[in-house]
Amino acid sequence: MTDDEIIEACRKIARKRQAPPPTPPEAVAKAEHVIGFAFPPLLRRLYTEVSNGGFGPTDGVLPVDVGQWHEHIAEAYEYGPDPTGGVPAGVVPLYDWGCTMWSMIDFRDPDGAMWSNADGDCWPQGVNLAQWLLAAMDGELRFAWPNGVPPENEWHRPETAAQHQES
């Protein structure tokens, strides 16, 4: 799927969810200043052409600014990168799975390599933003555990698109 096709698919999902309108480019520039890295191009387009969050799995990714939600994409960087070094600079929270589990995006990579973070541990997922979004649209997205092995009672799974539409 091309970036244009992903944008259009996300736009349809955002409309169904009644997600907020797109983010002004100035808000993206402000977030980039706080984070210290430019948004990967596809992510920039999603925010400025589709919606200020709300696209992606279940209830959607974090917004660029806090106009409608309490958390936002640059919030983790308001006081600089992770001082412990546990999260590499430029790796930014994108989707909250709950229970201190996150899907994160690498702003240092123009393709937006995706990372996982759970309880302070951070590791690459092995997919980029486009692949991650496609898995969400196909109902196949799961939290990416290290070595693909979840704890014995994994319960952190978003609804599939079909389940979400039924509810």
Side-chain angles (χ1 to χ4, degrees):
M1 205 178 237
T2 67
D3 283 1
D4 288 338
E5 291 168 325
I6 291 170
I7 297 283
E8 189 52 38
C10 287
R11 187 175 284 125
K12 288 177 184 174
I13 291 167
R15 264 189 241 127
K16 285 180 185 174
R17 292 182 183 165
Q18 297 179 332
T23 306
E26 301 79 30
V28 171
K30 182 179 176 184
E32 288 174 333
H33 178 74
V34 170
I35 294 166
F37 292 88
F39 277 53
L42 177 58
L43 186 62
R44 172 187 291 276
R45 286 190 62 196
L46 286 163
Y47 279 118
T48 61
E49 296 176 31
V50 175
S51 177
N52 183 20
F55 56 86
T58 2
D59 52 350
V61 303
L62 292 177
V64 170
D65 58 46
V66 292
Q68 297 187 351
W69 288 290
H70 299 293
E71 296 178 316
H72 56 91
I73 196 165
E75 183 175 23
Y77 280 81
E78 286 179 342
Y79 302 103
D82 178 6
T84 69
V87 176
V91 176
V92 179
L94 185 65
Y95 179 75
D96 184 357
W97 291 86
C99 295
T100 69
M101 297 167 39
W102 288 86
S103 282
M104 304 176 84
I105 185 165
D106 192 341
F107 276 38
R108 303 166 301 178
D109 180 347
D111 289 331
M114 297 299 294
W115 287 62
S116 292
N117 184 300
D119 298 323
D121 293 326
C122 196
W123 59 91
Q125 290 184 12
V127 297
N128 64 31
L129 176 62
Q131 294 164 326
W132 187 82
L133 288 167
L134 289 172
M137 287 182 236
D138 290 341
E140 298 297 320
L141 185 64
R142 304 290 182 265
F143 184 78
W145 294 100
N147 304 318
V149 181
E152 199 160 304
N153 61 351
E154 178 194 358
W155 56 271
H156 303 282
R157 294 180 180 215
E159 299 174 43
T160 65
Q163 290 169 327
H164 189 69
Q165 290 173 356
E166 292 171 5
S167 58

